[in-house]
């Protein structure tokens, strides 16, 4: 079914509230934070819980675009811009990381802190016009589209003094997080078993402090009355990049692709935290009447040989290339 983006023309953002359920059983393991543990909070309807944070979801929404076996984007997205980082070992170059898989995207230290400064110097030169005065958002957006389109979706902060005084930043246009309402702690526990020496003392190895002997441990999981994946696409920010109709449509479709790919996946966030859609039906927007999250086949189409005929791959192919303002994959070498 064709995707009618004109339904979004008069909306500043696109919102989804997607009901989830635990895939098996009732319990789930939320994300934890240092010195805090699980992030419980009081909501109007009672006790609530942050199951997955916006920053973690950004990484997961990047991950659905990446083929780990190929160290490259999934086939239907190839042509999108990103920076690939390689390292030289014994006269051989091999893949190290990329702006897709690294948490800081284009601001990755493996990209900007390498002793090989070729790409850094290129970036500095192309962003030189932003050194003084207010930041020209269109120029910044054009360079990010050229080198790392993910930064226009998930945000970036180029915190380097040599790059316009460390003032170059873009907020997320796609934000997602998972919350649970009506939560209760489901306490349990376990024990690491040592069948050689349960006491951990027979061999004078320091006991449980070094992992010897039986080591019991507590474990807190949660149950919830309701689990919701919240997602928003900042349409006004995407339009505000001033990149033209094709790039604007491509960015919106890319955001929708990421969200659809995530909810179609097993959604296994941790060992004891796997979700699925509560209802297998269509996912309607909360605020854009009549607009539904497109099916994957409507976004990418069908594969014909080495190409896909859907609207997103078609736009990617149109915007990628060797011309100066086109999207490309840039390979850099990391030297510590």
């Amino acid at each position: 079914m064709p995707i009618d983006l004109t339904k979004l023309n008069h909306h500043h953002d696109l919102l989804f509230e997607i009901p989830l359920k635990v895939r098996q059983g009732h319990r789930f393991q939320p994300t934890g934070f240092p010195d805090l543990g699980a992030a419980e909070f009081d909501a109007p309807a009672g006790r609530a819980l942050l199951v997955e944070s916006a920053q973690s979801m950004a990484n997961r929404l990047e991950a659905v675009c990446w083929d780990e076996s190929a160290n490259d984007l999934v086939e239907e997205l190839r042509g999108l811009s990103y920076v690939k980082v390689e390292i030289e070992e014994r006269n051989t170059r091999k893949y190290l990381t990329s702006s897709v898989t690294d948490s800081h995207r284009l601001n990755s230290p493996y990209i900007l802190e390498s002793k090989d400064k070729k790409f850094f110097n290129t970036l500095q030169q192309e962003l030189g016009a932003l050194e003084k005065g207010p930041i020209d958002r269109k120029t910044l957006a054009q360079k990010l589209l050229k080198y790392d389109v993910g930064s226009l979706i998930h945000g970036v902060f180029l915190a380097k003094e040599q790059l316009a005084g460390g003032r170059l930043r873009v907020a997320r246009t796609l934000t997602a997080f998972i919350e649970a309402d009506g939560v209760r702690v489901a306490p349990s526990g376990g024990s690491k078993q040592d069948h050689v020496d349960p006491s951990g003392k027979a061999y004078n190895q320091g006991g449980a402090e070094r992992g010897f002997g039986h080591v019991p441990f507590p474990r807190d999981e949660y149950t919830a009355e309701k689990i919701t994946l919240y997602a928003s696409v900042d349409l006004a920010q995407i339009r505000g990049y001033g990149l033209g109709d094709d790039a604007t449509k491509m960015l919106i479709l890319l955001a929708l692709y990421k969200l659809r790919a995530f909810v179609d996946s097993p959604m296994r966030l941790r060992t004891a935290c796997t979700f699925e859609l509560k209802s297998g039906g269509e996912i309607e927007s909360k605020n854009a009447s009549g607009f539904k999250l497109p099916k994957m086949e409507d976004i990418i189409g069908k594969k014909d040989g080495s190409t896909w005929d859907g609207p997103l791959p078609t736009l990617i192919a149109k915007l990628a290339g060797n011309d100066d303002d086109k999207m490309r994959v840039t390979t850099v070498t990391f030297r510590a």
Side-chain angles (χ1 to χ4, degrees):
M1 180 181 297
I3 303 172
D4 185 6
L5 295 181
T6 63
K7 292 181 178 180
L8 307 179
N9 285 350
H10 301 292
H11 291 274
H12 292 285
D13 55 15
L14 176 63
L15 306 179
F16 293 97
E17 295 184 3
I18 306 172
L20 305 179
K21 64 179 180 179
V22 178
R23 189 169 178 83
Q24 286 187 306
H26 302 285
R27 295 168 294 139
F28 62 90
Q29 176 190 10
T31 189
F33 297 90
D35 302 321
L36 175 64
E40 294 186 48
F41 60 96
D42 291 319
R47 199 66 173 160
L49 176 71
L50 178 62
V51 180
E52 201 72 6
S53 67
Q55 56 269 30
S56 178
M57 281 299 302
N59 294 333
R60 296 186 185 282
L61 292 168
E62 285 275 55
V64 297
C65 302
W66 192 253
D67 181 348
E68 291 188 357
S69 65
N71 288 327
D72 199 352
L73 292 167
V74 294
E75 284 188 6
E76 61 267 28
L77 298 184
R78 289 179 188 173
L80 289 175
S81 58
Y82 73 95
V83 177
K84 177 186 292 187
V85 183
E86 295 182 340
I87 190 169
E88 291 182 352
E89 291 184 352
R90 299 177 182 177
N91 298 320
T92 301
R93 296 172 65 88
K94 66 178 185 179
Y95 172 82
L96 181 65
T97 187
S98 74
S99 59
V100 179
T101 54
D102 196 87
S103 299
H104 299 288
R105 279 167 284 281
L106 197 57
N107 196 53
S108 165
Y110 298 102
I111 297 173
L112 299 186
E113 294 292 344
S114 172
K115 289 183 179 179
D116 185 335
K117 294 296 182 183
K118 292 179 182 177
F119 178 69
F120 184 91
N121 293 337
T122 297
L123 203 59
Q124 186 178 26
Q125 181 180 2
E126 295 197 18
L127 294 172
L130 307 180
E131 288 287 340
K132 297 180 181 180
I135 299 300
D136 183 338
R137 295 273 292 176
K138 182 176 181 179
T139 297
L140 176 58
Q142 287 172 334
K143 300 307 177 184
L144 293 177
L145 179 68
K146 177 179 177 179
Y147 290 116
D148 184 47
V149 69
S151 292
L152 292 174
I153 297 290
H154 299 291
V156 70
F157 177 26
L158 297 174
K160 304 298 177 189
E161 181 67 26
Q162 303 96 316
L163 300 177
R167 299 181 298 142
L168 303 179
R169 64 179 70 197
V170 175
R172 292 188 185 100
T173 56
L174 172 60
T175 302
F177 56 91
I178 301 175
E179 289 184 359
D181 295 291
V183 299
R184 295 180 176 86
V185 177
S188 62
S191 175
K192 190 280 292 180
Q193 298 289 300
D194 186 338
H195 299 291
V196 176
D197 177 17
S199 71
K201 298 177 181 178
Y203 294 94
N204 194 28
Q205 297 291 341
E209 291 183 0
R210 297 184 60 192
F212 292 91
H214 288 346
V215 182
F217 57 86
R219 180 185 181 93
D220 280 350
E221 294 171 308
Y222 285 80
T223 63
E225 295 176 6
K226 184 173 73 169
I227 304 169
T228 307
L229 166 60
Y230 296 91
S232 65
V233 182
D234 192 330
L235 302 171
Q237 180 171 317
I238 291 176
R239 296 181 192 118
Y241 290 148
L243 295 173
D245 289 343
D246 287 340
T248 297
K249 291 177 182 177
M250 187 270 291
L251 289 171
I252 295 172
L253 289 172
L254 180 57
L256 296 175
Y257 171 97
K258 288 170 177 281
L259 186 56
R260 171 52 74 181
F262 178 76
V263 300
D264 283 353
S265 74
M267 288 191 276
R268 189 168 191 257
L269 307 185
R270 281 166 290 281
T271 299
C273 190
T274 304
F275 298 118
E276 62 184 8
L277 294 174
K278 189 172 183 180
S279 172
E282 296 178 323
I283 300 172
E284 296 190 8
S285 168
K286 178 188 176 184
N287 65 323
S289 179
F291 189 85
K292 300 175 182 178
L293 181 64
K295 300 290 187 180
M296 185 57 75
E297 57 265 28
D298 295 329
I299 300 174
I300 64 173
K302 296 180 180 179
K303 188 177 182 181
D304 181 12
S306 60
T307 62
W308 298 75
D309 63 5
L312 178 56
T314 299
L315 285 168
I316 290 173
K318 190 174 182 179
L319 293 164
N322 296 320
D323 294 344
D324 186 60
D325 60 344
K326 297 284 189 177
M327 296 190 297
R328 79 278 313 278
V329 177
T330 305
T331 302
V332 304
T333 303
F334 176 71
R335 294 191 174 94

